[in-house]
Structure formats: C-alpha cells, structure tokens
Amino acid sequence: SQKENVAYLYDAANQTRTSILKQIEGDWQTLEGLAVSLRELVILDENQIKALWTQLSNQPHRQKNAAESFDICRIKDYIVEHLKEDLSLETIANKFGYNYSYLSTCFSKYVKKGFKQYVNELRIQHACRLLTESETTVSEAGSESGYSSQSYFTQVFKKYTGCTPSAYQLRH
C-alpha cells in the first residue's frame, strides 16, 4: 500500500542518513570543513569529495561556517534520535558546547527556521505516522512524539495540520 511504501522510503532515508553521519564522523579529519547538510546531501563520488575538500581547505574564512554546518547536522540528528525526550535549545546548547543565543542564530541560519518550530514539525510528522500506520491512540501518539501535555499536543497538531489528531486519524 501507499502508506507502507512511504514508511519504507522514510526508513531507508533515515538509514542512509545515519550511515552517512557515521561515515563522516569516522573520517572527520578527511571531511572536516565539508559544509553540506546531511539532510540535503547528494551522494558524492570520491573525486567530488576531494574537489570540495580542496576548495574548502583553501578558503580558511569558510572553515568556521563548515564546522558550524556540521554541528547543526549533528544537532538535527540528535533531535531526531531524542524526539520523545524534553528538548530545549538551552539543553542542546550545553550538550554541544554552544552559547544559547549563538546556537539559536546558527540554527536559524542553517535550518531556515527556529529551533522550536523545527522540533514541533518533526514531532507532528512523527505523530501523523503513528496515527496512520498503527493502532496508536491519540494520547499515545502525543506522548510518543514528546508531548507531556495532551492539550498542548492537540493545539500544536492542529496548528501544523489544520485538524485535531482525532480528526486526522479518522481521515487517514
């Protein structure tokens, strides 16, 4: 079915992203400075990577931006892996060694949206999958998506989808 295909593609994309992240972390000395968001990464062949590395390493003023971009990728992956937990920008800043205000600015610069909006969008996407692909109740979907308050979950869900979680579940 279409839902199974979407779920399969989503899982495959997540596995690919995780594999790429592990590769980059393992070869960080070689790939340091590569300013490419993992979520937007196109499969590069070895020659393209070497060319990018040479280009970036010859431009020291870009190395800071490349490191920031890589950290934002790591932070985005951390968010996905810990979506169910209480995630605040302050906690993430401390975990990754950033000043709160600086991280807020960097996150918005690279992700093109605020931290809270980004987290809420991921959580609502996750809740939508739970509501359509399993026998999960609305309460369980909210909790499994990181919302401790059912009313806040419903409020945010409606903001992003235009309907309540119950109505969404009935339609899908």
Side-chain angles (χ1 to χ4, degrees):
S1 79
Q2 185 177 5
K3 288 180 187 176
E4 290 171 344
N5 289 339
V6 170
Y8 173 78
L9 291 174
Y10 177 80
D11 289 341
N14 269 340
Q15 289 174 354
T16 301
R17 179 187 48 76
T18 301
S19 172
I20 290 169
L21 178 61
K22 287 179 182 175
Q23 231 176 348
I24 287 175
E25 286 178 343
D27 287 331
W28 177 240
Q29 287 184 331
T30 304
L31 297 174
E32 185 176 48
L34 185 60
V36 180
S37 170
L38 291 176
R39 298 205 188 286
E40 300 163 357
L41 184 65
V42 177
I43 302 302
L44 301 175
D45 68 28
E46 188 175 345
N47 292 332
Q48 289 172 309
I49 291 173
K50 287 178 182 176
L52 281 171
W53 169 247
T54 302
Q55 182 182 5
L56 288 172
S57 62
N58 290 331
Q59 300 173 359
H61 64 283
R62 293 191 179 192
Q63 290 176 355
K64 181 179 179 187
N65 287 343
E68 286 173 352
S69 177
F70 181 74
D71 278 349
I72 295 299
C73 289
R74 289 178 49 228
I75 289 167
K76 287 167 61 176
D77 286 330
Y78 179 86
I79 291 168
V80 169
E81 292 169 10
H82 297 87
L83 201 57
K84 187 177 174 181
E85 300 171 19
D86 182 28
L87 294 170
S88 71
L89 186 58
E90 183 176 0
T91 303
I92 300 290
N94 290 335
K95 176 155 185 58
F96 286 88
Y98 277 95
N99 169 281
Y100 173 92
S101 298
Y102 183 74
L103 179 58
S104 178
T105 301
C106 283
F107 196 89
S108 295
K109 175 182 173 183
Y110 291 102
V111 182
K112 307 292 186 228
K113 58 185 78 171
F115 177 82
K116 188 172 184 177
Q117 178 184 355
Y118 179 77
V119 170
N120 277 330
E121 285 176 2
L122 287 178
R123 285 178 169 169
I124 296 305
Q125 289 170 6
H126 181 68
C128 287
R129 280 191 304 279
L130 290 173
L131 291 169
T132 58
E133 296 172 4
S134 66
E135 297 295 321
T136 307
T137 67
V138 169
S139 177
E140 291 169 338
S143 178
E144 288 295 314
S145 299
Y147 293 100
S148 58
S149 163
Q150 182 64 40
S151 62
Y152 183 63
F153 166 62
T154 301
Q155 176 186 352
V156 174
F157 192 96
K158 190 170 183 178
K159 175 182 176 183
Y160 285 95
T161 65
C163 63
T164 66
S166 299
Y168 184 89
Q169 192 173 37
L170 287 173
R171 286 188 215 158
H172 297 86

